[in-house]
Amino acid sequence: MAETLFEELKRYVGFGAEDEQSLRSLHEVAREEFPAIAEVFYDRILEHEGARSALAGESQVGHLKVTLRAWMEQLLRGPWDEDYYLLRCRIGRMHVRIALPQHYMFGAMNVLRQEFNRLIDERYNCQMEQLRAARVALGKILDLELAIMLHTYREDLLAQQARNERLATFGQLVGSIGHELRNPLGVIETSLFILKGRPMASDERATKHLGRIGEQVALANRIVTDLLDMIRDRPLKHEPLRLDEVWKDALTSVHTPAGVSIRAEGLEALPTLQGDPGQMRQVFVNLLENAVQAVGETGTVMLTASTGPDAVELVLEDSGPGVSDTIRRRIFEPLMTTKARGIGLGLPLVKRILERHGGSISYAPREGRGARFVLRLPSHPSSR
């Protein structure tokens, strides 16, 4: 069997059974210090404006400290297998998603290296052989951590650059085709209006087909509008934004089968934000239409809202089949769809609108069946 990348990296740095044993022994004396190390780690980050901004400020630090303690637990206890490698790869990819510069990653790892070496010096003060072995093992595992993160960082960054290039080409094509389609669609609409006023419109069969033509023209116009919205920067309106009112307005535009229940909790308690009500309405409409189509004729769609120190969080869940692993990583890419009649613009447009408001959206699988989308919007006005 071919050697995996992780096995190659371990062989390259000479990480073996003795190092594993040294790290497990270090874990026994260091685990009580994990909370204190996490405090030092994030205090250092919060002192640096650039790093603080990349990690979303102080509001996320409480959660991140818990995550760091779990990271240190696995760092020293293992097992250092392929599952360990895959978990560390996800961390590298997260750094790409939040646009964390690589030099912050090196600086952060140096903070941990200093704290662990200080702890090794204190606990193995009179045990020079164990001290040396612990320092060597620690150096190897932290070097492996950096190698894994840099490898996945590079892979994802290159993939992201390729996507951006495709989007730029896509934008140029859409802009040209979209504007060209407006003219024939306008002519069809005008002709349809004239035909509806003629005597033939009294024929039931003709009226039915004229109605179908009108529906399809409206659908084509909406597709063109969505395509153009993906490539142009419509100025954001900075108005008082009540998400409960926007949600209620969006519900009126979504056809819901009798067997589908749509509920919302916590929206009325949200503070008044600043943003563009029209574009936020489009966010809700797109997400609701996807959720309703996913659950079919019977099911539930649930929106839960909560408020944090500097942001509000909306969680939209449905009881549909969810999103497969193969689709999940590309779910917000334009033209990516699993629908028979969709063209894959709804979620990319949602992501674009939220990011222009200074917010974000992510997909978080539910236990069992269903999809879960997590939306975050800043409580303070966005300048974008």
Side-chain angles (χ1 to χ4, degrees):
M1 183 179 295
E3 187 179 46
T4 67
L5 176 62
F6 190 41
E7 289 170 341
E8 179 188 352
L9 288 172
K10 287 196 289 186
R11 177 170 57 82
Y12 187 78
V13 302
F15 185 84
E18 291 183 3
D19 300 303
E20 292 182 358
Q21 183 57 47
S22 293
L23 290 178
R24 292 192 181 100
S25 298
L26 178 59
H27 173 264
E28 293 302 315
V29 299
R31 60 186 308 178
E32 295 179 358
E33 297 293 327
F34 288 169
I37 293 173
E39 290 291 332
V40 172
F41 183 85
Y42 281 106
D43 283 348
R44 190 75 60 86
I45 286 177
L46 292 174
E47 289 173 1
H48 192 286
E49 183 178 345
R52 182 174 67 245
S53 175
L55 292 178
E58 298 185 32
S59 62
Q60 294 297 302
V61 167
H63 168 72
L64 292 173
K65 286 177 181 177
V66 175
T67 303
L68 179 60
R69 291 200 293 270
W71 180 88
M72 289 187 284
E73 184 77 20
Q74 190 176 27
L75 178 81
L76 299 184
R77 191 177 62 179
W80 300 271
D81 53 14
E82 291 303 313
D83 287 337
Y84 178 98
Y85 170 75
L86 292 175
L87 177 61
R88 270 28 187 184
C89 285
R90 288 199 291 272
I91 296 173
R93 295 189 181 102
M94 179 60 71
H95 291 164
V96 174
R97 284 198 289 274
I98 66 174
L100 179 70
Q102 293 184 56
H103 58 272
Y104 292 145
M105 186 165 59
F106 278 93
M109 197 65 74
N110 190 52
V111 173
L112 293 173
R113 196 184 301 268
Q114 289 176 0
E115 288 301 307
F116 277 123
N117 279 328
R118 175 189 57 78
L119 188 61
I120 289 171
D121 290 343
E122 291 176 356
R123 299 304 173 91
Y124 295 132
N125 186 31
C126 298
Q127 306 170 59
M128 296 308 296
E129 193 63 30
Q130 291 93 325
L131 185 150
R132 186 197 65 81
R135 275 185 170 271
V136 170
L138 177 69
K140 290 178 181 179
I141 193 60
L142 291 182
D143 286 345
L144 282 170
E145 289 282 337
L146 280 174
I148 295 168
M149 290 183 193
L150 286 172
H151 175 74
T152 52
Y153 193 103
R154 179 179 178 275
E155 276 192 334
D156 271 38
L157 195 58
L158 289 174
Q160 190 178 80
Q161 289 172 345
R163 285 195 297 270
N164 290 340
E165 290 174 1
R166 290 197 301 270
L167 285 176
T169 304
F170 168 75
Q172 293 172 359
L173 182 63
V174 164
S176 175
I177 293 177
H179 288 296
E180 291 298 324
L181 283 176
R182 288 293 196 197
N183 292 329
L185 287 173
V187 172
I188 295 172
E189 282 185 304
T190 302
S191 299
L192 184 62
F193 176 78
I194 294 172
L195 287 174
K196 285 183 175 180
R198 295 296 176 88
M200 65 173 291
S202 60
D203 183 289
E204 183 177 340
R205 190 174 180 183
T207 301
K208 178 181 178 181
H209 285 287
L210 289 173
R212 285 183 175 177
I213 294 172
E215 290 173 1
Q216 295 307 306
V217 169
L219 176 60
N221 268 317
R222 178 177 173 183
I223 291 173
V224 171
T225 298
D226 286 349
L227 284 166
L228 293 175
D229 283 345
M230 278 299 302
I231 64 169
R232 64 189 178 192
D233 286 325
R234 287 192 298 167
L236 281 181
K237 295 179 182 177
H238 293 278
E239 301 176 359
L241 182 63
R242 291 293 310 173
L243 290 180
D244 55 332
E245 297 174 1
V246 176
W247 170 262
K248 292 174 184 175
D249 188 24
L251 286 174
T252 64
S253 296
V254 179
H255 172 69
T256 307
V260 175
S261 168
I262 299 180
R263 296 182 294 121
E265 291 182 358
L267 278 175
E268 294 82 0
L270 294 181
T272 300
L273 308 180
Q274 288 289 316
D276 191 318
Q279 293 194 37
M280 284 305 303
R281 180 183 185 278
Q282 189 66 54
V283 166
F284 285 144
V285 168
N286 289 7
L287 290 173
L288 280 168
E289 287 182 342
N290 283 352
V292 169
Q293 290 177 26
V295 301
E297 293 300 315
T298 58
T300 59
V301 179
M302 181 69 187
L303 180 75
T304 307
S306 59
T307 306
D310 60 0
V312 300
E313 183 175 276
L314 309 173
V315 179
L316 185 74
E317 301 175 297
D318 66 59
S319 58
V323 179
S324 68
D325 292 339
T326 55
I327 299 296
R328 198 169 296 160
R329 288 189 62 189
R330 300 182 58 196
I331 195 171
F332 296 108
E333 290 185 16
L335 308 182
M336 186 66 194
T337 182
T338 58
K339 300 178 187 175
R341 299 182 60 187
I343 61 172
L345 291 176
L347 287 176
L349 188 55
V350 165
K351 184 174 184 289
R352 181 174 176 81
I353 292 172
L354 289 172
E355 287 177 347
R356 295 190 68 218
H357 279 80
S360 64
I361 181 171
S362 59
Y363 179 81
R366 296 179 64 189
E367 292 184 8
R369 284 172 55 88
R372 177 191 291 120
F373 289 93
V374 180
L375 291 68
R376 288 178 55 83
L377 282 167
S379 302
H380 52 80
S382 173
S383 59
R384 299 188 182 191

